[in-house]
Amino acid sequence: MKRHTVIVQGTLAFGMQRAAAAREGDHGRDVSTLPLLGARLVGGFARPADYATLVPIVARALSELAFEELEPVKTRPGMARAVLASLARIWAADIQFDDLRYASARLSDLGRIEAYLHRHLPIGALLPRDLCDRAIAGVAHARATVGNLYFHRLISIDPVWRPLIKALAAVVEITWDAPGTRDRSWFPGTIVPTTSPPSQDLICDVCADPRAEVVEALRWARELLSDGTTQASDIAITSADLGAWDDHMLVLAADAELPIHFASGVSALSTRAGQSCAALADVMINGLSQDRVRRLSLLSPYLSEALPADWMKGIPTEAGLFKPDHWASSFEPLSRSDGSSIAATLMPVLRDLDVGPQAAVRLGETLLRGKSLGLWQEALRLGPAAAIEMTLTSLRIADESDPANNVVWARAADLVGVPRKHMRLIGLSSRSWPRSDGVDPLLPDHVLSERDLADLPRLERDRLAFEVLVSHPDSSVALSRSRRSADGAFLARSALLQRKVTERSLSRTRTPEHAFSEGDRLLARIDDALSLPRIQSVMSCWTDWTRRLDPTPHDGGYRKDHPAVARALNTPQSATSLRRMLRDPLGFVWLRALGMTAPELAVEPLQFDPITFGELVHELLRLAIERIEPIPSLVGATPEEIDNALGAAARDIAERWPLTQAVPPRLLWLDTIDEARRRARRGLTIDERFGPGTRSFSEIPFGNPKSPAERSDPWDERQEVVIGQSGLRLKGRIDRVDVKPDRRSVRISDYKTGTTPRNLRDVILGGGAEVQRALYAIAIKQLIPQASAVIARLIYLDTMGPAANLDGDVLERAEDTLLRFIDIAVEGLRSGVAYPGPDAFAGYNDLRIALPAALDRYRGRKEEGFNAAQQRLVPLWDEP
C-alpha cells in the first residue's frame, strides 16, 4: 500500500473524496485539509484551534485587556466574532503584527489579542501560523506520514500555508489540479493543466422571486431523476451565497421528498433541538408569560418529563402570569393531587427564568438535554447571553445525510472542488452573484489595504467559481435568476451573463413538464386535481360564493331539526348569544352549535381592549356596591363613602387581577385603574335616589340552575327564566339592580364603557343590537313577581349625560317585539335557515375569518338572497 494524501477544501469535498476512496478501494489514500495536514506533520495531540475554541477566549481578552483604539467598542455585541474574523484574515494573509510596513494602533490592539490567545489556548490547539511553523519542522517525516500530495481543485491557497508547501516539495511529490487561470508561479510542484471545452450555449431561466427559483430547481432535479439513468449523486444545485434560498429549499425539499443533502448544514432553529433552545431564550430574554412557559414546557426535555401532560389544567388561559409570585398564587387553588409536586418542580425554574440572562448557563443545564444543550452551550460560547436569540439564528447543524448518494445543495465555492454531471446555478442577479467585496469593519483600507489582506477577493472568487463550473467538461449546466427579491426589489441580471446566454422567462403559474411534489403535480394536471373530493368541495364552494346570487349550502343552512342546533337551543342563552341569534344567525350556529372558538393566551398589553376595560369597570362597581350595601346603602351613602368604597375596590383589583388577567406594565396599570375608577364613580353618582330603604345589588347572576350558590337576595340565582313561545331559557348577569323595600318597584342599570351614541334617547331595540334592557326586564318580572313597575336604563360612563330609560308602555312594546322576533329566529334555526346577518359583516366580528375574503363584494352579491331567506327576521333590523 502506497500512502498518498488528497488535500481538499470544505466539508463537501472532504466527504466526497472519502466516498470515492471507499468505492475505489484505495486504502492508501488519506483525505485532508491544509490545517489538518499541518497538524498531522506536527504530530502528537496537535490540532488547529477551531472557531468554538477561539471565540470565548477572544471575548475574555476583550474584557481583560486595555486597548488603544478598540477600547470604546470592545463591549459591543458581536465584537468577539468580528475580532476573530479580522484575525483570521490576517493569519491567512500571513501578515506579522510587528511588520513595520503595517504598523498602526489598530493592528497593535489585534496583536495584543493574538498574544492573549497564545497564552490561553488549550494544550494542543495551535493558531495557523504556529501550526505551519511547527509543521515545517516535521517535514522530514512527510514521506512516511502523508506521502505524495495531490491538491484537488483548490482555487487558491492562502499565503500562510505556502512556506509549508515549498518545504514539502523538497521531500514528496506535489501535484495541484488547479481550476481557473490565476497566476500560480509561486507553486513549487506540478500543476495539472486544465482544458476548457468549447463554450456551451447556456439558457438562464428568469423566475419571479427566490422561492420560484427553488421551485424550478426542484422541478429540474425531478426531471433528471425521472429518466431512469441519472443518479441523485450526479445532481447539484448551487449559488454564491445560500441565504436567500436556504429556507425555501428546506421547506420545499421536504414537501418534494427528494434526497437533498445540505452541504452547509441546516438552520439549528429548523430542528426540535433548536426550537427547544428558542423557547428557553424567549422566556429568558422577554420575561415570563403563560404562553411562553406553555411552549417551553412542551419543548424542554426536562419539563416534558417532569410535568404531567395536563399540568396547566385549572389555570385560566386569560391569566397573564408575568411574575413568579403570580404563578405561585395560581398553583395554590389547584384541587389536584399533584398540584404541590407541580409547584415544587416548576417554581425554582420560574424564579431562574425571572433572573434573565444572568442564569443562562444554569437554565440550559437544568432544562435542556443532548443536542439542545449542546446548541445552547455553543450559542453562549459565540456571544453574550443577552444576545442569544440572534446567536441561535446563526447556528447550523450538519446534515446527517450522505452527499455521496444525494442531490447536493451547496455554495459554489464548495462545489468547485467536487463538480457534478448536472449542475444548476441559481441567483445569477447583480446583487447575488458575484457578490461585492465587503469591507472589514475593523480593518478598513486606511489600516490595511484589501490587496494585502485578501489573496483572492470575494468578487474575484465568485467570478472564478462561476467560470470553473460552467466550463467543467462532461457537465451540463442550467442557470436561473430572479426578477424580484424576496422584498419586491427589482433585480438586474448578473454581469457574469455577458457571454452567450439565452434568457427564458418562466411564469410562477406555468404548467411544468415535471412536477416536484404532489401539490405541484395537481396544479399541473387540473383533471387529476378536480377528481379529488376535497378539490371538488373547494371548487363547489368557490362557485357558490362567487357566481350564484341565491343562498347555497356553502353560505349557511343545514337540514331541519339538526341535533347540534337543538342542543345549542336547549342550553341557557345570554343576552350576547341572543343578539347574535337575531343579527347573525349563521354566527350563532358556528359559535353555539359548532363551538368555533379558540383559546386566547394572554400577552402583556400596553392598554386594555374595550371589552376587558369594561370588565374592569364592572368589577369596580360590584366591589364598591358590596362594600356600601346594606349599610350605609347606596341610596344613603355620601360622596366620601362612595369614594372610599371605590378606593378599597381599586386596591383589591390592583393586587388580584394580575393573577387572573393580563394587565399592562405597572405604571400604565395604575393609570388604567384610575380611569376605571373615575367612570365607576359616575355610574354610582349619576342619578337621583330611587327612594328611601332601596337596596342596590351589583353583578347579580340569574337563570343558572347549575350554580352551587343559593342567593335569596334579591332572588335565587338558580331559578329558571323562560322566555317566548319557543321556551328558551335565559341566563345572565345584571350590572345593577335597585329594589324598593316592598319589591314592587325595580330599576335595572346596564353600564357601558364605550362612546355614547348620538341618538341614544331614540334607541329602543337598536335593530336587535340593544336587547339587554328588554331582556332583563322580562327576567325581572319572573324573578320578582311582585314587581309592578320596572325601569330598565342604559348608562354610558364616558360622559355626564343622563341615562336612557325604558319603562311603561314603551318597555312593554319593546318586550313584546323582542320576544316575537326571538321566536321567529328560533323557528328559523330549527328549520335550517341560518345565514349571515348585519353583524356578520361588522369589523368587530371575530368570526369574519370564516367568511369569504372579499367580504364587501360577497355581501353585495348575496345580501338580497339572505334577506329573502330570512324575510321574517329582517324587519327587526330596522327597529329603532
Side-chain angles (χ1 to χ4, degrees):
M1 178 183 71
K2 186 176 181 180
R3 181 184 296 276
H4 59 283
T5 301
V6 177
I7 305 298
V8 297
Q9 189 170 25
T11 57
L12 177 61
F14 191 88
M16 292 302 298
Q17 277 297 318
R18 289 173 63 91
R23 290 194 183 106
E24 298 167 10
D26 190 352
H27 302 294
R29 182 191 305 181
D30 189 14
V31 182
S32 182
T33 61
L34 279 168
L36 293 178
L37 173 66
R40 181 65 181 270
L41 290 170
V42 173
F45 295 99
R47 69 184 190 278
D50 59 10
Y51 189 80
T53 301
L54 292 172
V55 167
I57 303 178
V58 171
R60 292 204 304 272
L62 289 170
S63 63
E64 296 176 11
L65 300 179
F67 301 101
E68 188 173 347
E69 283 195 356
L70 297 181
E71 189 68 23
V73 296
K74 70 177 187 178
T75 58
R76 298 287 177 88
M79 190 62 183
R81 284 176 287 178
V83 167
L84 186 55
S86 298
L87 285 173
R89 299 188 71 191
I90 292 174
W91 294 331
D94 200 23
I95 294 175
Q96 304 290 333
F97 287 105
D98 56 0
D99 192 331
L100 296 179
R101 293 176 299 171
Y102 309 115
S104 70
R106 184 72 53 84
L107 287 179
S108 178
D109 288 346
L110 293 176
R112 292 191 188 96
I113 296 175
E114 184 190 52
Y116 187 93
L117 288 173
H118 281 124
R119 296 193 301 269
H120 292 85
L121 277 174
I123 296 175
L126 299 173
L127 299 180
R129 190 179 300 118
D130 300 329
L131 190 62
C132 181
D133 292 342
R134 293 181 60 177
I136 291 175
V139 161
H141 304 290
R143 186 172 298 280
T145 55
V146 298
N148 294 334
L149 298 178
Y150 181 81
F151 290 83
H152 181 70
R153 300 187 65 81
L154 270 64
I155 290 182
S156 66
I157 296 176
D158 292 330
V160 68
W161 302 111
R162 293 177 185 179
L164 174 60
I165 295 171
K166 292 177 181 178
L168 285 168
V171 181
V172 297
E173 296 180 8
I174 303 179
T175 306
W176 188 0
D177 176 9
T181 57
R182 296 190 72 240
D183 179 20
R184 299 181 175 92
S185 58
W186 66 269
F187 185 69
T190 303
I191 294 180
V192 178
T194 57
T195 58
S196 298
S199 60
Q200 50 183 311
D201 293 336
L202 299 176
I203 298 176
C204 181
D205 295 332
V206 183
C207 307
D209 54 24
R211 184 184 185 279
E213 269 196 279
V214 174
V215 168
E216 294 297 341
L218 295 177
R219 288 171 175 170
W220 168 82
R222 179 73 76 182
E223 179 180 1
L224 291 172
L225 292 172
S226 66
D227 64 10
T229 58
T230 302
Q231 301 295 317
S233 57
D234 297 331
I235 304 173
I237 306 172
T238 185
S239 185
D241 183 18
L242 308 182
W245 301 269
D246 200 58
D247 288 341
H248 298 305
M249 184 65 74
L250 183 67
V251 173
L252 295 175
D255 186 34
E257 298 183 357
L258 283 171
I260 295 181
H261 173 79
F262 288 72
S264 297
V266 297
S267 171
L269 294 183
S270 67
T271 65
R272 180 176 177 84
Q275 284 296 303
S276 299
C277 295
L280 175 55
D282 187 25
V283 187
M284 185 183 75
I285 299 298
N286 299 315
L288 295 175
S289 71
Q290 187 173 166
D291 61 326
R292 295 186 189 120
V293 174
R294 280 177 181 265
R295 189 183 307 115
L296 178 62
S297 70
L298 294 174
L299 292 170
S300 164
Y302 168 73
L303 293 180
S304 60
E305 295 174 2
L307 297 174
D310 62 343
W311 71 274
M312 289 292 291
K313 183 179 180 181
I315 299 177
T317 59
E318 63 271 13
L321 307 180
F322 302 122
K323 300 291 182 183
D325 293 344
H326 298 170
W327 284 92
S329 300
S330 69
F331 288 139
E332 291 177 0
L334 291 182
S335 58
R336 296 174 45 162
S337 59
D338 55 356
S340 58
S341 64
I342 292 174
T345 300
L346 202 55
M347 286 309 302
V349 173
L350 295 175
R351 291 191 177 93
D352 283 345
L353 288 168
D354 192 53
V355 171
Q358 294 82 358
V361 174
R362 184 168 65 253
L363 286 168
E365 292 173 350
T366 302
L367 300 177
L368 304 177
R369 300 285 187 274
K371 291 183 179 179
S372 58
L373 177 58
L375 286 173
W376 185 260
Q377 293 172 339
E378 178 73 7
L380 292 177
R381 281 196 296 268
L382 296 180
I388 196 168
E389 289 181 309
M390 297 180 61
T391 309
L392 286 172
T393 61
S394 65
L395 291 183
R396 301 187 73 81
I397 298 176
D399 192 341
E400 297 180 356
S401 63
D402 193 335
N405 57 4
N406 285 272
V407 177
V408 162
W409 165 239
R411 293 183 299 118
D414 294 332
L415 195 60
V416 165
V418 280
R420 295 200 166 188
K421 186 176 180 181
H422 302 282
M423 295 181 290
R424 187 176 182 91
L425 282 56
I426 69 176
L428 284 162
S429 67
S430 56
R431 294 186 182 181
S432 305
W433 199 342
R435 298 165 293 172
S436 61
D437 290 328
V439 178
D440 193 308
L442 299 181
L443 298 174
D445 277 344
H446 71 273
V447 174
L448 197 60
S449 172
E450 187 70 20
R451 292 190 300 272
D452 296 328
L453 196 58
D455 175 60
L456 187 61
R458 185 170 66 178
L459 177 65
E460 182 60 29
R461 186 179 294 273
D462 285 353
R463 287 180 178 275
L464 188 55
F466 176 80
E467 294 296 335
V468 169
L469 293 177
V470 298
S471 62
H472 186 262
D474 304 322
S475 292
S476 65
V477 178
L479 311 177
S480 74
R481 70 177 182 89
S482 299
R483 296 188 195 90
R484 302 274 179 178
S485 66
D487 56 5
F490 175 77
L491 299 177
R493 61 185 292 176
S494 170
L496 299 175
L497 300 181
Q498 299 305 319
R499 57 186 295 171
K500 189 176 181 180
V501 175
T502 303
E503 289 197 340
R504 178 177 60 180
S505 180
L506 299 181
S507 169
R508 188 199 302 268
T509 58
R510 77 182 185 94
T511 300
E513 295 81 5
H514 287 266
F516 77 91
S517 67
E518 176 67 7
D520 202 27
R521 183 186 70 82
L522 293 176
L523 286 174
R525 298 182 178 180
I526 301 300
D527 292 339
D528 290 358
L530 292 178
S531 66
L532 297 176
R534 66 178 184 274
I535 300 297
Q536 291 176 353
S537 177
V538 169
M539 294 302 297
S540 175
C541 179
W542 181 251
T543 301
D544 287 349
W545 275 353
T546 59
R547 297 184 182 178
R548 295 182 58 178
L549 301 179
D550 58 311
T552 70
H554 288 112
D555 299 304
Y558 41 86
R559 64 183 173 89
K560 185 178 180 180
D561 295 326
H562 196 288
V565 176
R567 285 194 299 271
L569 293 174
N570 287 334
T571 59
Q573 307 295 321
S574 65
T576 303
S577 68
L578 288 176
R579 168 182 167 154
R580 194 181 291 270
M581 177 193 296
L582 294 169
R583 293 183 56 84
D584 183 17
L586 182 60
F588 176 87
V589 172
W590 284 349
L591 191 63
R592 302 284 294 186
L594 301 182
M596 289 177 57
T597 58
E600 295 184 5
L601 294 176
V603 295
E604 188 172 23
L606 292 179
Q607 64 178 16
F608 278 152
D609 58 75
I611 294 178
T612 308
F613 182 73
E615 293 174 356
L616 173 62
V617 174
H618 284 75
E619 182 73 356
L620 271 173
L621 289 166
R622 181 185 69 83
L623 293 176
I625 290 177
E626 287 181 354
R627 282 174 167 79
I628 294 173
E629 293 287 343
I631 298 174
S633 80
L634 184 59
V635 297
T638 65
E640 291 76 13
E641 290 171 329
I642 292 176
D643 286 339
N644 292 336
L646 283 172
R651 289 190 294 272
D652 180 64
I653 288 177
E655 296 178 0
R656 181 168 47 83
W657 263 46
L659 305 181
T660 58
Q661 296 277 347
V663 301
R666 179 168 178 78
L667 290 178
L668 295 176
W669 171 226
L670 296 178
D671 184 70
T672 302
I673 292 178
D674 286 343
E675 175 62 20
R677 179 178 174 180
R678 183 184 68 81
R679 298 197 183 194
R681 189 181 190 281
R682 165 171 160 71
L684 298 178
T685 60
I686 183 176
D687 50 9
E688 70 284 353
R689 305 301 185 190
F690 195 46
T694 297
R695 289 289 310 277
S696 297
F697 305 90
S698 179
E699 298 293 324
I700 313 300
F702 68 89
N704 187 9
K706 296 183 179 180
S707 174
E710 179 180 351
R711 184 166 182 165
S712 57
D713 199 359
W715 55 68
D716 182 356
E717 68 179 79
R718 295 179 298 181
Q719 179 181 342
E720 285 192 346
V721 176
V722 181
I723 60 174
Q725 299 296 321
S726 56
L728 285 184
R729 288 178 292 160
L730 182 65
K731 71 172 183 179
R733 185 181 296 270
I734 302 177
D735 293 346
R736 176 177 156 194
V737 179
D738 299 323
V739 184
K740 285 191 174 182
D742 59 3
R743 297 175 67 86
R744 293 184 177 277
S745 297
V746 178
R747 183 172 64 184
I748 309 165
S749 300
D750 187 30
Y751 293 114
K752 300 290 184 182
T753 56
T755 304
T756 304
R758 292 182 179 179
N759 59 341
L760 178 61
R761 306 298 298 180
D762 300 327
V763 173
I764 298 176
L765 292 178
E770 181 51 64
V771 297
Q772 288 96 327
R773 288 180 294 177
L775 279 176
Y776 293 160
I778 295 170
I780 287 295
K781 293 176 181 178
Q782 297 185 39
L783 295 168
I784 307 180
Q786 312 94 299
S788 57
V790 177
I791 301 174
R793 61 181 186 169
L794 190 60
I795 303 174
Y796 279 83
L797 302 178
D798 65 324
T799 64
M800 295 302 294
N805 292 350
L806 286 184
D807 55 9
D809 295 340
V810 176
L811 179 59
E812 290 185 4
R813 285 196 299 271
E815 293 172 5
D816 294 340
T817 302
L818 180 61
L819 292 176
R820 176 165 55 87
F821 280 110
I822 287 177
D823 290 338
I824 291 172
V826 171
E827 182 181 348
L829 291 171
R830 294 189 186 279
S831 62
V833 178
Y835 298 104
D839 280 2
F841 306 99
Y844 55 78
N845 179 23
D846 53 358
L847 297 176
R848 279 164 42 113
I849 192 173
L851 293 170
L855 202 55
D856 291 338
R857 283 185 289 176
Y858 174 73
R859 181 179 187 179
R861 198 164 39 241
K862 293 281 189 175
E863 189 168 30
E864 185 176 348
F866 292 158
N867 291 345
Q870 303 174 130
Q871 57 181 338
R872 295 180 61 201
L873 191 59
V874 170
L876 170 65
W877 304 337
D878 296 324
E879 285 285 327

